[in-house]
């Protein structure tokens, strides 16, 4: 199978280190707290016409905030699932409480053309530190930002305010054609639909289709790649791979949306699943999917999985 189109997908993964100036308490779903505060600060940093509502602004089509957070409005498209070009990714041992002087770390992934707006993202995190995080609005300092994929280097240090822009590098595809067993763990809730229904036990072809859909949307809307890709053959071949072991459960959670001013319910599957069959040819897709998150609400950090096989 030809996955050359994967080389057109580019993204960078950064790690932010925040030094807490007070005792920071985060909600049960940490991604909602940090992402919500980031969105508020990003709008404040980008907006030059604050007295007006977004929909009334003459600069709506030139607005960086609208381009990143409301891409459907910016592109004037009715497509439902234009992805936002960023993902918040938290370590599995991420906790809810951070003491004074403790370092809070998480990853921030940026896709395609949005990499050019990195200075705006950084300034938004710095502003969020000044505004305060969590229910008590405790402040923090952005101590360091390090690029950890596709290369490792320090981009920003609090003692050195010069921003070193990120590099766009071609993704290296993993190949292991003799792979017959794949075991993965869904770390954050994965929400996939198949034929209009939510999936609790994703067959391999549904899993692969979810990865392909995510990749193609990122390619089209953020990487300038709009060629038609036929993947019926890929899906048909994926149907030959079967579930051999499954230990998944549905996880529900609730977050409060400041923008919508209401509580929103989300959910998805977490746990481990094992597939058996001719899996090796699919490994490039699966490996990329483990970096970019799949399914719904990826910008919050959902749809993260890891490959448990040792290669």
């Amino acid at each position: 199978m030809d996955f050359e189109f994967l080389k057109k997908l580019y993204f960078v993964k950064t790690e932010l280190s925040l030094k807490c100036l007070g005792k920071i308490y985060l909600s049960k779903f940490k991604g909602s707290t940090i992402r919500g505060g980031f969105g508020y600060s990003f709008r404040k940093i980008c907006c030059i016409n604050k007295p007006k509502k977004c929909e009334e602004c003459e600069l709506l089509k030139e607005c960086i905030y609208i381009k990143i957070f409301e891409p459907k409005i910016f592109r004037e498209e009715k497509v439902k699932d234009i992805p936002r070009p960023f993902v918040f990714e938290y370590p599995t041992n991420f906790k809810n409480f951070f003491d004074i002087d403790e370092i809070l770390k998480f990853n921030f992934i940026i896709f395609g053309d949005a990499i050019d707006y990195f200075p705006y993202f950084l300034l938004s995190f710095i502003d969020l530190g000044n505004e305060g995080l969590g229910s008590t609005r405790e402040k923090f300092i952005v101590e360091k930002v390090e690029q950890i994929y596709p290369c490792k280097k320090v981009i920003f240090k609090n003692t050195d305010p010069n921003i070193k822009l990120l590099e766009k590098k071609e993704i290296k595809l993993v190949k292991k054609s003799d792979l017959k067993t794949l075991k993965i763990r869904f770390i954050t809730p994965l929400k996939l639909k198949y034929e209009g229904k939510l999936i609790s036990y994703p067959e391999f072809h549904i899993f692969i289709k979810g990865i392909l859909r995510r990749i193609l949307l990122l390619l089209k809307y953020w990487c300038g790649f709009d060629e038609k890709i036929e993947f019926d053959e890929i899906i048909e071949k994926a149907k030959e791979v079967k579930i051999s072991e499954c230990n998944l459960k549905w996880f529900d959670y609730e977050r409060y949306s400041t923008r919508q001013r209401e509580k929103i319910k989300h959910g998805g599957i977490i746990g481990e699943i094992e597939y058996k069959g001719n899996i090796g040819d699919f490994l490039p897709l699966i490996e990329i999917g483990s970096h970019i998150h799949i399914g719904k609400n990826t910008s919050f950090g959902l749809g993260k999985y890891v490959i448990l096989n040792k290669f």
Side-chain angles (χ1 to χ4, degrees):
M1 289 183 286
D2 183 10
F3 294 135
E4 284 299 306
F5 62 87
L6 289 179
K7 294 182 179 180
K8 303 297 181 180
L9 175 68
Y10 53 95
F11 62 94
V12 293
K13 182 182 290 190
T14 64
E15 181 185 69
L16 280 82
S17 298
L18 314 180
K19 183 179 179 180
C20 303
L21 301 182
K23 296 183 178 182
I24 294 180
Y25 298 86
L26 301 177
S27 63
K28 185 177 180 181
F29 183 56
K30 307 99 179 172
S32 176
T33 306
I34 298 175
R35 184 188 176 281
F38 168 76
Y40 173 82
S41 289
F42 189 72
R43 185 179 186 278
K44 187 169 72 170
I45 291 295
C46 296
C47 183
I48 60 174
N49 205 356
K50 291 179 175 61
K52 290 192 174 183
K53 295 180 179 179
C54 289
E55 58 271 18
E56 298 172 353
C57 181
E58 299 88 346
L59 301 175
L60 186 68
K61 300 306 176 186
E62 287 76 36
C63 179
I64 297 173
Y65 171 79
I66 293 296
K67 180 177 182 178
I68 299 299
F69 269 84
E70 301 290 347
K72 288 185 291 186
I73 296 174
F74 184 86
R75 297 171 184 271
E76 296 183 320
E77 293 194 33
K78 295 182 180 180
V79 179
K80 185 178 180 181
D81 295 320
I82 299 179
R84 292 183 176 93
F86 63 86
V87 168
F88 283 86
E89 185 176 83
Y90 307 96
T92 52
N93 62 346
F94 198 72
K95 54 186 183 179
N96 295 78
F97 170 72
F98 294 84
D99 211 336
I100 298 173
D101 291 335
E102 196 169 356
I103 301 297
L104 187 165
K105 289 186 178 184
F106 60 88
N107 295 337
F108 185 67
I109 307 168
I110 316 168
F111 297 97
D113 296 339
I115 294 171
D116 295 336
Y117 299 111
F118 175 74
Y120 289 89
F121 296 140
L122 177 56
L123 288 172
S124 299
F125 285 117
I126 292 172
D127 179 77
L128 179 57
N130 295 329
E131 289 285 340
L133 190 62
S135 58
T136 56
R137 296 295 179 190
E138 296 292 347
K139 294 176 173 49
F140 63 80
I141 294 172
V142 180
E143 281 278 277
K144 183 174 68 172
V145 183
E146 187 173 7
Q147 180 175 333
I148 57 177
Y149 185 90
C151 60
K152 192 167 185 176
K153 67 175 182 178
V154 174
I155 303 168
F156 170 86
K157 275 189 175 180
N158 187 44
T159 53
D160 177 13
N162 294 318
I163 300 172
K164 297 177 178 65
L165 295 180
L166 301 147
E167 297 178 4
K168 300 173 184 177
K169 288 193 173 183
E170 187 177 280
I171 293 170
K172 294 180 180 179
L173 303 181
V174 179
K175 294 182 179 179
K176 191 172 178 62
S177 58
D178 60 343
L179 186 67
K180 301 297 181 183
T181 301
L182 174 74
K183 192 167 187 177
I184 61 175
R185 178 184 297 137
F186 297 109
I187 297 175
T188 57
L190 170 66
K191 188 176 183 180
L192 284 177
K193 283 188 176 182
Y194 182 66
E195 296 181 343
K197 296 180 181 179
L198 287 173
I199 300 300
S200 297
Y201 304 98
E203 295 290 344
F204 188 71
H205 68 94
I206 297 174
F207 174 54
I208 291 297
K209 188 173 182 179
I211 297 173
L212 280 168
R213 175 176 171 77
R214 171 74 167 155
I215 289 172
L216 295 179
L217 287 172
L218 289 172
L219 281 172
K220 178 178 180 179
Y221 292 108
W222 297 107
C223 298
F225 181 84
D226 200 15
E227 296 179 22
K228 187 173 178 60
I229 301 173
E230 297 291 344
F231 53 83
D232 289 347
E233 181 183 346
I234 301 173
I235 299 300
E236 285 303 311
K237 191 170 182 180
K239 289 180 179 179
E240 298 173 7
V241 178
K242 304 298 180 183
I243 297 174
S244 56
E245 188 177 327
C246 186
N247 185 22
L248 298 174
K249 63 179 180 179
W250 190 267
F251 178 81
D252 280 313
Y253 70 92
E254 187 176 75
R255 70 175 179 88
Y256 181 78
S257 171
T258 304
R259 184 169 62 88
Q260 299 180 45
R261 296 181 179 180
E262 63 179 355
K263 289 184 177 180
I264 300 175
K265 290 186 177 181
H266 293 293
I269 53 174
I270 57 173
E272 296 181 7
I273 191 167
E274 183 182 84
Y275 299 105
K276 284 192 175 181
N278 294 319
I279 296 168
D281 290 342
F282 298 96
L283 196 54
L285 285 177
I286 296 164
E287 209 249 342
I288 293 301
S290 71
H291 284 291
I292 65 177
H293 297 225
I294 65 172
K296 299 288 186 181
N297 301 118
T298 51
S299 66
F300 286 91
L302 302 192
K304 170 66 177 176
Y305 66 86
V306 293
I307 302 170
L308 298 180
N309 300 57
K310 292 183 179 180
F311 302 130

